[in-house]
Amino acid sequence: MLLQEILSYNEQFVENKEYVPYEATKMPQKRMVVVSCMDARLVELLPKALDLHNGDAKILKTAGGTITHPFGSIMRSIVTAVYELNADEIYIIGHHACGMSQSNPKGTLQKILDRGVASPEILSAIEYAGIDLEKWLFGFDNVEDSIQANINLVKNHPLIPKDVPVHGLVIDPHTGKLDLLVDGYKALNGVKN
Ligand SMILES: [Zn+2]
């Protein structure tokens, strides 16, 4: 069982003091927040490819790296990082071949029906309450557009200081190569990318 494996590994980890190389404070040393995708290929690759070590950054992960709501949990985390944890730069990092770029909301809803979790009547009731489930589950057509939309959402947010640079990058989930999409410093100085 996975849980048992994790717990017994953990016991050894702590006993052997394997945590020592990771000791850090809660204030991010590089004063940065990263918003990226929950893709399993990025678990270790993303920090390694950016030379981020324990204690360096606040890393927020969500499906597609998408900030879906201006007052949702990701934006709340960014605001907290900026005001309480000394973060002064934001990096929005999407990736190529993202599952959310081929998301299939209709298929997901069908799976929910097939597993008997919800009936068509329940889905209708949710829609009736004003929640567009297909829109809610939809990812994006194009990663660059999605990153730009995230940047706009953060930059125009009424609680985010105007002098915080918001960068946009795309990472290759195989090689870790970064492509710069938006240089947040240039954008601050009114220079077009
Ligand atoms: Zn992804």
Side-chain angles (χ1 to χ4, degrees), residues 22 28-35 43-61 91 93 178:
Y22 305 104
Q29 290 302 301
K30 292 190 177 168
R31 302 174 68 113
M32 64 194 280
V33 185
V34 175
V35 179
V43 171
E44 289 185 80
L45 182 68
L46 178 97
K48 290 241 192 308
L50 274 72
D51 192 28
L52 294 178
H53 300 273
N54 219 36
D56 276 350
K58 299 285 158 191
I59 302 186
L60 309 172
K61 298 287 198 83
Y91 289 74
I93 307 183
L178 288 170

Side-chain angles (χ1 to χ4, degrees), residues 36-42 62-65 94-101 140:
S36 193
C37 184
M38 66 179 185
D39 195 298
R41 293 170 292 182
L42 300 180
T62 180
H95 70 101
H96 297 299
C98 183
M100 291 307 276
S101 67
F140 47 80

